[in-house]
Amino acid sequence: MLKKKLFWQAILISILACVAATLFAGWLAREQAKEELQGYLHDIAEQAMLRSDRAYTVSGHFLEQLDKSDFNDCSEAHQQRLSNITFSELFVRGVIYAPGGVVKCSASSRSNYPLPPPDQQTMLGRSLWFEFKGDLPKPSILYGKGPHYAVIDSQYLVDILPVKKRGLYIEVDRNQRRLASTKNVKPKPDTTWLQQTSVSRTNPNYKITASLPPKELQRAWQDYFEDLLPLCSVVCIILIGIIIWFTRRSFTMGLEIIEGLRLGEFVVYYQPMILLANGEVGCAEALLRWQRQNGSRISPDLFIGYAEENGQISLLTRFVLEKVATDLALLANTDVSISVNLAGADLASPLFVENLAALCKKHQLAPSRIELEITERSLVLGQGEIEVITRLRQAGHIILIDDFGTGYSNLSYLHTLPVDILKIDKSFVQALGSGAATHHVALHIVQMATALGLSVVAEGIETAEQAETLKEMGVEWGQGWLYAKAMPFEELRQFLQTPTPATLKPLSSDPLPDAV
């Protein structure tokens, strides 16, 4: 069942990972396409503005020279001068001579007609006609203040020849009136078009806008997405590989736990609990260790956490209880008890109480010799778990709350749960005399336990000063490297046979083992 579940989870996660990688590639391709096209439009708009500025600047320059010249009639010399300007400037369709607002002549014509009223006035005092035709074949922009005027080809302002023309649309407007626009393209882009606008440095009302239709963004996006697809495929394969590796590792861990139990790789160590008043050993905590046949050791934090999450913790608890019961039977001539850590899954099992009772009967053990520890994080329990704990205590087992002070415990839980002993977490013991913020937590826990009629065990005692301070606080039991580290059963038997097994020993320089 677990293998099948992991298999389908791996498939689902792999699919989601590939979808996520593809969606990210699509989003990245779109952002890159949009950035490229916006940069392209910005360059086009700037280029068009430079052409436009040049047209008006050059026009203004030669108009000023003509207006200051001695040409005040339509002589052949005057017309030849106008013809030379028309021929030399790409954007000029013609130059007309219109003193007093009446056209007299141009480079090739002597037609006479009045100028229509101008459309707008520029900041330099020159007039603008947006669709001036006169005797020309096509409407143009007329620019000047008289008597000479430049006829500017409006298409010059928008006929940009970029490397990639695409579906480019350029529009020139002044004071929100269009002067020129690209031919044969949608005349008014909608909001889905990409746009970039360039504003004249000399006239904020003069703007040139370059636009591209949505199909160009789609085309650019497809190009980028096709380029990203190989990378996307590689990322997808890597993600699938990682997922499969983690899945196989998780599933392999489950198989290895079962195989390790079969091969006897798991062993139970015991760490004594000392009565601080006289140094006697009253109990020992059972700690599970896993040493592979190849000599490597697996951290309890790793395999215990995995077993809890994947439903194998009950197998380990059953193994520990069997070993503890067997070892206690060999200590029949002592009053020493052994505490065993329980998981939430153990308390949720409806047969746990009956199985433990059968185990005690099999080895002829009083239930009080197997004490049961519940970590504080397991105290968020349902009514069924609370009933199991109550039945265990009624059967004669001592109930301890482990790592007290680090989780969710409060007075309401301690009033409702059938608890006998609180174990102070080692972090609070190590804070004694350090001036840390948790310096007084141990004392408060002892006072709380005393008020509730509970005994207290202090974990992680490493120095004689800590032991003395805890004894003065009223702590009854101590556990830690000051007295003994976790040891195999045979060493525990020898430890119990010494005349004063709890004689204080100097703290070892070896690293502390992981406790379970």
Side-chain angles (χ1 to χ4, degrees):
M1 179 63 70
L2 178 60
K3 181 177 181 181
K4 185 176 181 180
K5 180 180 178 181
L6 288 174
F7 173 74
W8 285 111
Q9 284 180 345
I11 291 179
L12 178 60
I13 294 174
S14 299
I15 293 174
L16 292 177
C18 288
V19 170
T22 304
L23 290 176
F24 177 76
W27 172 83
L28 184 61
R30 182 176 178 83
E31 292 301 308
Q32 289 180 327
K34 186 182 293 185
E35 182 179 355
E36 182 212 345
L37 294 183
Q38 291 288 17
Y40 165 81
L41 291 175
H42 176 269
D43 293 341
I44 293 296
E46 289 294 318
Q47 184 180 349
M49 183 60 72
L50 289 175
R51 288 167 62 94
S52 181
D53 286 343
R54 179 182 180 277
Y56 290 110
T57 300
V58 172
S59 297
H61 180 67
F62 70 68
L63 287 176
E64 186 175 343
Q65 290 181 335
L66 287 172
D67 291 342
K68 292 180 179 179
S69 68
D70 296 333
F71 294 111
N72 53 11
D73 55 14
C74 287
S75 63
E76 291 184 4
H78 191 183
Q79 285 188 296
Q80 183 61 44
R81 177 73 179 273
L82 300 182
S83 178
N84 291 339
I85 294 174
T86 302
F87 180 78
S88 62
E89 297 297 339
L90 176 65
F91 57 88
V92 177
R93 278 185 172 170
V95 182
I96 64 173
Y97 176 61
V102 178
V103 177
K104 298 296 184 179
C105 61
S106 64
S108 59
S109 173
R110 293 178 180 267
S111 300
N112 287 266
Y113 53 88
L115 289 176
D119 293 309
Q120 291 182 13
Q121 293 288 330
T122 68
M123 298 177 65
L124 298 177
R126 293 189 174 91
S127 299
L128 272 173
W129 288 262
F130 295 154
E131 296 185 3
F132 175 78
K133 186 173 182 181
D135 58 354
L136 299 173
K138 296 180 180 179
S140 303
I141 298 173
L142 185 63
Y143 175 67
K145 60 181 179 179
H148 293 88
Y149 298 87
V151 182
I152 300 174
D153 185 353
S154 59
Q155 289 304 117
Y156 173 83
L157 306 180
V158 295
D159 281 348
I160 307 298
L161 298 176
V163 177
K164 296 180 180 180
K165 192 171 184 179
R166 293 172 165 139
L168 184 63
Y169 173 69
I170 304 175
E171 184 176 277
V172 181
D173 68 84
R174 186 178 186 278
N175 290 332
Q176 299 181 346
R177 180 167 177 181
R178 189 168 64 203
L179 286 96
S181 63
T182 307
K183 294 181 178 180
N184 301 322
V185 184
K186 186 176 180 180
K188 188 177 181 181
D190 57 37
T191 55
T192 62
W193 286 44
L194 296 177
Q195 295 184 341
Q196 284 289 313
T197 299
S198 179
V199 180
S200 173
R201 295 179 177 85
T202 59
N203 187 351
N205 295 320
Y206 190 89
K207 301 177 181 178
I208 297 181
T209 301
S211 307
L212 284 173
K215 65 179 181 180
E216 294 297 337
L217 177 59
Q218 180 71 16
R219 185 181 301 159
W221 172 80
Q222 290 176 348
D223 292 340
Y224 273 107
F225 187 65
E226 290 175 1
D227 292 339
L228 287 174
L229 269 181
L231 178 61
C232 178
S233 301
V234 172
V235 172
C236 185
I237 292 173
I238 293 174
L239 288 175
I240 292 176
I242 293 174
I243 292 167
I244 293 175
W245 182 79
F246 272 110
T247 302
R248 291 186 61 185
R249 181 182 179 187
S250 298
F251 185 67
T252 301
M253 173 68 76
L255 292 177
E256 288 179 348
I257 288 176
I258 297 174
E259 187 70 7
L261 288 171
R262 187 183 69 83
L263 296 176
E265 295 178 346
F266 287 93
V267 294
V268 177
Y269 277 43
Y270 300 95
Q271 187 173 32
M273 299 181 194
I274 308 301
L275 188 62
L276 297 182
N278 55 22
E280 292 182 357
V281 179
C283 182
E285 180 181 2
L287 302 171
L288 187 60
R289 298 288 183 261
W290 185 6
Q291 181 166 335
R292 306 295 303 275
Q293 290 186 338
N294 59 11
S296 63
R297 294 183 179 182
I298 309 298
S299 168
D301 291 336
L302 179 61
F303 71 82
I304 292 293
Y306 174 85
E308 286 181 334
E309 293 177 0
N310 293 273
Q312 294 175 318
I313 190 64
S314 296
L315 294 175
L316 297 180
T317 302
R318 188 185 310 161
F319 169 80
V320 173
L321 286 171
E322 289 279 359
K323 184 65 168 65
V324 166
T326 302
D327 292 343
L328 277 174
L330 299 176
L331 297 176
N333 59 340
T334 69
D335 295 327
V336 174
S337 59
I338 294 178
S339 67
V340 177
N341 291 277
L342 299 184
D346 301 320
L347 300 175
S349 173
L351 299 178
F352 182 76
V353 178
E354 289 76 8
N355 292 337
L356 183 55
L359 183 65
C360 291
K361 183 177 179 180
K362 173 184 176 182
H363 293 276
Q364 298 181 352
L365 298 174
S368 60
R369 296 195 67 190
I370 298 182
E371 302 182 2
L372 302 173
E373 295 192 19
I374 305 169
T375 55
E376 191 176 358
R377 64 178 178 271
S378 300
L379 289 181
V380 185
L381 304 171
Q383 187 60 37
E385 287 82 358
I386 295 176
E387 290 178 0
V388 171
I389 296 174
T390 302
R391 291 173 58 195
L392 289 170
R393 191 166 184 270
Q394 290 173 347
H397 298 283
I398 304 298
I399 306 298
L400 301 87
I401 302 300
D402 194 15
D403 300 333
F404 189 81
T406 61
Y408 310 102
S409 291
N410 53 48
L411 285 174
S412 63
Y413 271 116
L414 296 180
H415 277 300
T416 56
L417 281 175
V419 178
D420 299 289
I421 300 174
L422 300 183
K423 297 187 73 174
I424 303 176
D425 186 71
K426 64 182 180 181
S427 61
F428 302 125
V429 173
Q430 293 170 357
L432 293 174
S434 66
T438 55
H439 171 69
H440 298 292
V441 173
L443 178 60
H444 295 324
I445 294 176
V446 174
Q447 292 173 344
M448 179 190 301
T450 301
L452 296 173
L454 304 177
S455 299
V456 177
V457 177
E459 297 181 289
I461 301 176
E462 298 180 355
T463 66
E465 291 76 12
Q466 292 172 350
E468 188 63 29
T469 300
L470 292 166
K471 184 178 179 181
E472 292 174 356
M473 288 181 181
V475 176
E476 301 171 68
W477 298 89
Q479 180 181 356
W481 273 39
L482 177 64
Y483 307 109
K485 59 184 178 180
M487 60 189 73
F489 176 69
E490 289 303 323
E491 291 185 20
L492 177 65
R493 293 182 68 175
Q494 296 177 8
F495 186 82
L496 295 175
Q497 292 172 2
T498 57
T500 54
T503 301
L504 298 184
K505 304 176 179 59
L507 180 64
S508 171
S509 61
D510 295 336
L512 294 176
D514 296 321
V516 180

